[in-house]
């Protein structure tokens, strides 16, 4: 049992990675150092790994989380169940449960298991019990269409945190947390726009800030907020669908009963998106793909898709795509390389082509930005600065949207990957 007077920490529970931090009375922020492949670091991949063969009957479910899950997955050569992107499903009530040996678990269980292990590893590293937490949440949860969807997602996240051992769990908007982090750098009052680019959502917060801050009562300082389910994962998905999936059969055809039909695109849609990968597992999908392979014009491509699914190779595929995306933020041309022993995919891609593929994503972000300003009754000229946080802040096409509206001189960045956790720790300590 965690003591009721244990310190409050901040957790950035992200779609792809998470972090836990704590701030002292002087505003100094310390991050829990978490293990990944033998190295300690401030962020942990948001994923779980289960070995069905390592589940003793009558015992609680056995699992690994974060960086430890990556190590277990690699050690098992792709066998077992790798679960990720749980946050993306928080607005989905109809999501069923999955079976791991004799256990059945649902989304809420997965989030609780992950937060429990995160808390345990943070306690070991920080050498203190942790029972109170402020967790970041997006302005609009991914997949949410109504206010009630967002309310449902928030309630589920809080409930999972309590199951994980946080006796006092609260939520704070992620862009507001980023504002707390940014505010420490100010020497004068500003009307700032915080743009938080996550993996699953992009969120905006217009907020009045100053060098002295305003403690924990910040509601009156928030001028407006907005959010959209268009973000970093969608950029990765665009690369996979256009760069990789054609080599796996997308756009090809198969012949059945004398009729030529297109290979269904649903398999490639799921392959390109972290949170849909579990839906490709199972005997039914494999039987469908085997039927398609037998009649395919290019059976080797369908066989390659089946191989990636069977070996959990999508994890490595997504990492390779992420490397290409990062390279395209630095240079006008990048190489994509993926190899797993049986499949070799090597090609190049231009930034111009990439920007064409992601145009619907950047258009959605731009529309949400403009809507946030309009609903707040604030013009771009009235905004003193724009603090951009998150990995997508590095993408030139995204940055160009903000330069066009506010001018390059107003754009600020720094600690793009850790500012949310830092701000949540400061919120928690206020």
């Amino acid at each position: 049992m965690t003591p009721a007077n244990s310190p409050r920490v901040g957790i950035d529970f992200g779609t792809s990675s998470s972090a836990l931090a704590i701030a002292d009375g002087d505003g100094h922020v310390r991050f829990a150092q978490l293990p990944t492949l033998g190295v300690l670091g401030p962020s942990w991949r948001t994923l779980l790994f289960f070995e069905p063969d390592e589940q003793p009957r009558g015992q609680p479910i056995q699992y690994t989380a974060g960086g430890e899950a990556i190590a277990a997955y690699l050690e098992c050569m792709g066998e077992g169940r790798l679960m990720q992107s749980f946050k993306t499903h928080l607005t989905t009530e109809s999501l069923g449960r999955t079976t791991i040996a004799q256990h059945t678990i649902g989304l809420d269980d997965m989030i609780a298991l992950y937060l429990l292990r995160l808390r345990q590893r943070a306690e070991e590293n920080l050498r203190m019990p942790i029972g109170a937490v402020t967790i970041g949440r997006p302005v609009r949860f991914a997949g949410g269409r109504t206010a009630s969807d967002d309310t449902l997602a928030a309630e589920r996240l809080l409930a999972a945190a309590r199951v994980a051992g946080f006796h006092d769990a609260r939520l704070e908007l992620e862009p507001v947390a980023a504002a707390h982090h940014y505010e420490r750098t100010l020497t004068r009052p500003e009307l700032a726009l915080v743009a938080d680019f996550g993996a699953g959502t992009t969120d905006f917060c217009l907020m009045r800030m100053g060098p002295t801050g305003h403690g924990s009562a910040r509601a009156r300082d928030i001028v407006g907020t907005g959010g959209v389910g268009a973000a970093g994962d969608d950029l990765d998905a665009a690369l996979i669908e256009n760069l990789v999936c054609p080599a796996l059969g997308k756009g090809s055809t198969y012949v059945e009963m004398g009729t030529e039909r297109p290979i269904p695109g649903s398999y490639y849609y799921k392959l390109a998106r972290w949170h849909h990968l579990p839906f490709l597992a199972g005997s039914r999908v494999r039987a469908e793909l085997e039927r398609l392979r037998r009649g395919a014009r290019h059976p080797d491509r369908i066989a390659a898709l089946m191989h990636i699914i069977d070996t959990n190779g999508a994890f490595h595929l997504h990492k390779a795509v992420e490397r290409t995306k990062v390279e395209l933020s630095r240079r006008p041309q990048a190489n994509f390389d993926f190899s797993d022993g049986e499949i070799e995919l090597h090609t190049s891609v231009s930034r111009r082509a990439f920007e064409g593929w992601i145009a619907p994503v950047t258009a959605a972000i731009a529309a949400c930005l403009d809507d946030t300003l309009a609903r707040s009754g604030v013009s771009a000229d009235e905004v003193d600065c724009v603090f951009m946080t998150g990995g997508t802040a590095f993408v030139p096409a995204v940055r160009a949207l903000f330069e066009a509206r506010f001018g390059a001189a107003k754009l600020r960045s720094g600690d793009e990957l850790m500012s949310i956790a830092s701000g949540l720790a400061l919120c928690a300590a206020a």
Side-chain angles (χ1 to χ4, degrees), residues 2 15 31 41 52 61 77 89 106 110 115 124 126 150-151 160 171 227 234 257 259 278 282 294 299 344 346 395 430:
T2 305
T15 301
F31 287 87
I61 193 166
M77 302 293 289
H89 295 295
M110 294 181 200
L115 291 177
E124 292 169 5
L126 298 175
D150 288 322
T151 299
L171 300 181
D234 297 300
M257 299 181 66
T259 302
R294 289 195 296 267
E344 297 284 341
H346 305 283
V395 176

Side-chain angles (χ1 to χ4, degrees), residues 126-140:
L126 298 175
R127 299 187 179 183
M128 63 176 67
I130 298 171
V133 65
T134 297
I135 304 176
R137 56 149 290 180
V139 175
R140 298 285 181 270

Side-chain angles (χ1 to χ4, degrees), residues 33-283:
Q33 299 298 303
L34 306 163
T36 299
L37 302 178
V39 178
L40 294 178
S43 67
W44 230 29
R45 288 299 296 267
T46 309
L47 47 79
L48 298 169
F49 181 71
F50 303 90
E51 290 186 61
D53 295 336
E54 299 294 328
Q55 303 294 334
R57 285 200 170 274
Q59 298 295 317
I61 193 166
Q62 303 298 303
Y63 72 100
T64 51
E68 295 170 343
I70 295 175
Y73 166 82
L74 295 174
E75 185 178 340
C76 291
M77 302 293 289
E79 297 294 327
R81 300 286 296 278
L82 190 68
M83 305 291 190
Q84 51 210 339
S85 297
F86 336 117
K87 184 178 179 180
T88 310
H89 295 295
L90 275 167
T91 58
T92 307
E93 288 188 86
S94 59
L95 197 67
R97 299 174 70 81
T98 189
T99 300
I100 309 291
Q102 73 272 18
H103 301 282
T104 59
I105 61 172
L107 173 68
D108 303 72
D109 304 308
M110 294 181 200
I111 295 174
L113 289 172
Y114 179 81
L115 291 177
L116 170 62
R117 193 55 50 84
L118 176 64
R119 179 177 67 81
Q120 290 171 337
R121 293 297 177 262
E123 288 180 333
E124 292 169 5
N125 180 256
L126 298 175
R127 299 187 179 183
M128 63 176 67
I130 298 171
V133 65
T134 297
I135 304 176
R137 56 149 290 180
V139 175
R140 298 285 181 270
F141 280 90
R145 298 180 180 178
T146 65
S148 61
D149 290 338
D150 288 322
T151 299
L152 169 68
E155 290 174 348
R156 294 177 77 178
L157 181 53
L158 285 172
R162 296 184 187 107
V163 172
F166 295 102
H167 61 79
D168 182 356
R170 307 173 191 173
L171 300 181
E172 180 58 271
L173 292 175
E174 290 163 350
V176 172
H180 277 263
H181 173 83
Y182 170 68
E183 193 171 44
R184 296 187 300 171
T185 68
L186 298 183
T187 58
R188 62 181 178 82
E190 291 183 349
L191 173 59
L193 171 70
V194 176
D196 170 29
F197 302 99
T201 61
T202 297
D203 295 300
F204 301 108
C205 180
L206 273 165
M207 194 168 180
R208 301 193 185 281
M209 306 181 195
T212 58
H214 299 279
S216 59
R218 302 309 302 265
R220 65 178 180 273
D221 297 323
I222 298 173
V223 178
T225 61
V228 63
D233 282 353
D234 297 300
L235 307 186
D236 292 352
L239 277 171
I240 292 175
E241 289 192 330
N242 290 278
L243 202 61
V244 178
C245 288
L248 304 177
K250 181 182 178 183
S252 186
T253 61
Y254 71 104
V255 177
E256 189 172 61
M257 299 181 66
T259 302
E260 189 165 13
R261 299 182 173 93
I263 302 291
S266 58
Y267 303 110
Y268 306 101
Y269 180 90
K270 294 180 177 69
L271 181 70
R273 291 160 177 83
W274 280 117
H275 56 294
H276 284 284
L277 287 175
F279 302 131
L280 290 175
S283 58

Side-chain angles (χ1 to χ4, degrees), residues 298-310:
H298 301 283
D300 56 318
R301 298 179 185 178
I302 305 302
L305 172 62
M306 295 172 67
H307 174 76
I308 288 174
I309 294 171
D310 290 345

Side-chain angles (χ1 to χ4, degrees), residues 361-385:
V361 183
T362 54
I365 292 173
C368 182
L369 169 60
D370 293 339
D371 177 67
T372 301
L373 292 172
R375 286 187 294 100
S376 304
V378 173
S379 69
D381 290 340
E382 293 175 290
V383 175
D384 296 310
C385 72

